[in-house]
Amino acid sequence: QVCSGSTGHTEGLQLAFDPAVVSYDTLCDKLLAVLGSDAAELNKVGNDRGTQYRHGIYPHTDAQAAAAARAVERCEVKLAAPVVTEVALARVFWPAEGYHQRYLEKGGQNADKEGEVAVRCYG
């Protein structure tokens, strides 16, 4: 249903992290760095297009929202362009269906951090 673009939902992930190991600021900066120039493109990530592929940061606290806004500002300076990554307080998160969980591994790809083999789209 989400893939159809008709639900108003976006594909995303909910990330649990230890702030003693990595800051929320660092995580926001990493997301925007991975997006690269797509951070300035509405409803686009790589070759994927549509409202379900909009990129966003969905903080759980006011402090996280402020950190996300600062990260967007830093990215705008770096790109010298307006960043359209949405920042909105987190609401309900629905886990994906089982067949989408650990999707890369199920497709025979390595999902390890700093993996040497590039991730292929569509398994």
Side-chain angles (χ1 to χ4, degrees):
Q1 292 173 332
V2 174
C3 290
S4 73
S6 64
T7 65
H9 295 100
T10 187
E11 294 185 11
L13 63 94
Q14 182 166 265
L15 179 68
F17 71 101
D18 182 348
V21 175
V22 63
S23 71
Y24 192 78
D25 292 79
T26 298
L27 293 172
C28 292
D29 287 338
K30 179 65 174 177
L31 168 71
L32 294 165
V34 168
L35 286 171
S37 62
D38 282 348
E41 298 285 337
L42 188 61
N43 300 329
K44 175 185 179 291
V45 177
N47 291 325
D48 294 323
R49 308 274 193 287
T51 58
Q52 71 274 30
Y53 298 113
R54 68 186 176 272
H55 32 89
I57 301 171
Y58 306 102
H60 289 265
T61 67
D62 290 341
Q64 288 179 347
R70 289 190 305 269
V72 167
E73 289 173 4
R74 287 190 296 273
C75 186
E76 287 180 330
V77 169
K78 183 181 267 187
L79 293 177
V83 168
V84 298
T85 302
E86 72 179 358
V87 175
L89 288 177
R91 297 189 299 185
V92 178
F93 177 82
W94 289 278
E97 304 88 346
Y99 66 89
H100 276 114
Q101 300 293 331
R102 307 193 72 77
Y103 187 75
L104 292 176
E105 290 174 7
K106 288 177 181 175
Q109 296 189 64
N110 180 349
D112 291 342
K113 180 178 178 181
E114 307 295 333
E116 294 183 21
V117 178
V119 172
R120 301 178 319 273
C121 292
Y122 310 111

